[in-house]
Amino acid sequence: MSFEVEFALPPEDHEDANKERVDLVDPTAPNLSLPSGTFLIAAVALKDQVVQATWEGGHGSGTPTGMVLDPTVYTGLLGTAFTCLRSYEATGNRQDLLLCADIVHKCGAVAPASSRHVTFLCGRGGVYALGAVVASLIGDHERCGLYLNLFLEMAQEKALSVGPEEGGFGMSYDLLYGRAGFLWAALFINKYLGHDKLPSDLLMPVVVAVLAGGRAGASHIPSCPLMYRWHGTRYLGAANGMAGILQVLLHFPLCNEDAEDVKATLRYMMANRFPHSGNYPSSEGNPRDKFVQWSHGAAGMAITLCKASQVFPGDREFRDAAIEAGEVVWKNGLLKKVGLADGVAGNAYAFLSLYRLTGESIYKERAKAFASFLYHKAGEFSTAGRTHGVEYVYSLFQGLAGTACLWFDLHVPENSRFPGYEL
C-alpha cells in the first residue's frame, strides 16, 4: 500500500481548515522564559515521548495501528529519525544515533514504493540523505555507500535537469515536492560528508533548470526575474513557493546574472508586502493578510532574507527586511499550533535566524519566550495539529517533534538551524 498525500494544499482553497492556524492567543501574556538548561532536559524528554509514540508504540514497526507507514520527514516516521539525530548532536548520546539508523532503515524499506517525490522533506531524498549521514556518523561505511548510491540513482531522474516547465506539467520546483527539495537533500549530504561528496556537475544542471523555469514563469512580470507555480498558483512562501526555492538557490555559487536575478526577485517580494502590517502575501496577488508562519508568511521570509543578507552582505536592504519580517512575527504573537510548518515552533526559528545574523540578544530572548510558551502549553495545543482529518501530533512539521528540535537548538542557539530549511 502506498502513502501519497500532499500536505501543504493551497491556503486560499482551504480557508476554513487553515483558520485556526492564524488565530492568536494573547500576545501580552506574562513572559515565562526558562533557563536554557531547562530546554535541553525538556527536549530529551519530549524526544523520548515522540519515539515512544511513533516507534516503540508500534513495537519497532513505526506503524501505529490502522495507519500506513509514512516514511517522510515532514509528517512521518523519518521526522522522528531527524529528531534523534538532532538529539545526538546536542547531547552526544550514541543511542540516539543508533535509534536514528534503525528508523531510517525501516523507512528505506518502504520509501521506493510509497513516494514518487525525490525531496528531503516529502520524498525518498530524505531517506537516502539522512541514511547516508547517519551511517557515516556511526562508521558504517558500507551502508553509507549504499544510501549514497541510491541517492545517485534517484538523481538520474530526467525531469530534474530539464526545464523550463512553467506550466507545471513536469516536476515542480518547490521545496516540499520539487527540484528545490532535491537540491536541499544534496546540500544536507555535502554538509556532513564533505562539499565534494555530490559533485557540482551533478547538482548545477538542476540549479540551471530551476533558474530557467523561474525565468519562464516570470516572463509576464517585468520587475520580477523569477516566478514559479505550484498546482497553478504562484506561491511566495517557504513550503511551496518562492521563499523556499530562493533559500536553496542561495546555497549555490551563482554567476553575476543569476545572483542579480535572485536579488531582484527578493526585492520584488519585499516591494509587495502588505503596506499596513509588513506581512507577505501567501501567493501572488492574494489580498488576504492572514498567514504569519513559515509555510506561507513572514516567518519563512525572515529566514530566507537572513540567508540573503549573509550571501550579499553589501546589500543592507536584505538585512533590514529580515529584521522587519521578524518584527511582524513578534507583533502577531503566538499561533495556536505547535509545529514548524504553521505553528509557534516554526515562528521561533525566525528569531534564531535573526540572532545568528545580528548577534543581538533580543532575538534569542524572543525565541526563548516562544519556546517557554510551548514548554507550558505544547500538550494542550498539540491536539490542534490536524491536516485533512489525519492527526500528526508527534510529527516534525505538524507536531511535537518540531518543538523538541527547537528546544535542542535553544541549548546552543548559535548553532541553531530550522530543520529541513537551514544548513
Side-chain angles (χ1 to χ4, degrees), residues 246-298:
L246 296 180
Q247 171 79 2
V248 172
L249 290 177
L250 286 165
H251 286 81
F252 287 91
L254 301 174
C255 69
N256 288 339
E257 179 186 358
D258 295 341
E260 290 302 320
D261 280 354
V262 168
K263 289 195 284 186
T265 301
L266 287 168
R267 292 186 186 112
Y268 174 83
M269 296 170 73
M270 290 154 52
N272 283 276
R273 288 172 286 185
F274 291 111
H276 298 295
S277 69
N279 191 27
Y280 288 78
S282 62
S283 58
E284 176 78 358
N286 191 328
R288 284 173 286 186
D289 182 2
K290 58 180 294 186
F291 295 99
V292 185
Q293 55 216 49
W294 173 80
S295 58
H296 293 292

Side-chain angles (χ1 to χ4, degrees), residues 223-224 236 242 246 262-275 277-281 284 301-302 304-306 308-309 312 315-325:
S223 59
C224 183
L236 303 182
M242 198 118 72
L246 296 180
V262 168
K263 289 195 284 186
T265 301
L266 287 168
R267 292 186 186 112
Y268 174 83
M269 296 170 73
M270 290 154 52
N272 283 276
R273 288 172 286 185
F274 291 111
S277 69
N279 191 27
Y280 288 78
E284 176 78 358
M301 274 301 300
T304 295
L305 288 164
C306 283
S309 181
F312 309 119
D315 294 276
R316 178 78 186 194
E317 60 193 306
F318 300 130
R319 179 188 175 96
D320 293 343
I323 290 171
E324 290 170 12

Side-chain angles (χ1 to χ4, degrees), residues 82 85 120 129-130 133 184-192 423:
F82 187 97
L85 175 62
F120 185 84
L130 192 56
V133 166
W184 200 95
L187 289 167
F188 182 80
I189 290 173
N190 281 352
K191 174 189 174 180
Y192 283 90
L423 287 157

Side-chain angles (χ1 to χ4, degrees), residues 1-8 53-55 61-82 103-117 119-124 126-127 130 176-177 387-388 390-399:
M1 183 178 291
S2 67
F3 187 94
E4 193 70 42
V5 179
E6 296 199 346
F7 310 100
T54 62
W55 180 250
S61 69
T63 310
T65 304
M67 292 183 65
V68 178
L69 172 61
D70 171 0
T72 71
V73 172
Y74 196 78
T75 54
L77 186 59
L78 203 61
T80 300
F82 187 97
I103 296 173
V104 172
H105 180 69
K106 175 66 178 180
C107 292
V110 300
S114 64
S115 178
R116 70 181 185 274
H117 302 300
T119 62
F120 185 84
L121 292 178
C122 293
R124 290 172 285 142
V127 177
L130 192 56
L176 290 194
Y177 305 110
T387 303
H388 310 309
V390 182
E391 192 169 17
Y392 298 117
V393 171
Y394 294 98
S395 71
L396 186 61
F397 271 71
Q398 298 285 345

Side-chain angles (χ1 to χ4, degrees), residues 82 86 89-91 191-192 310 349 352-353 355-357 364 405-419 422-423:
F82 187 97
R86 188 60 61 90
E89 292 176 323
T91 67
K191 174 189 174 180
Y192 283 90
Q310 293 164 352
Y349 271 102
L352 289 175
S353 294
Y355 172 64
R356 297 196 319 273
L357 176 68
K364 178 172 65 174
C405 287
L406 172 65
W407 290 346
F408 280 125
D409 274 336
L410 276 167
H411 181 56
V412 185
E414 294 78 7
N415 296 332
S416 62
R417 296 292 185 272
F418 191 112
E422 295 181 291
L423 287 157

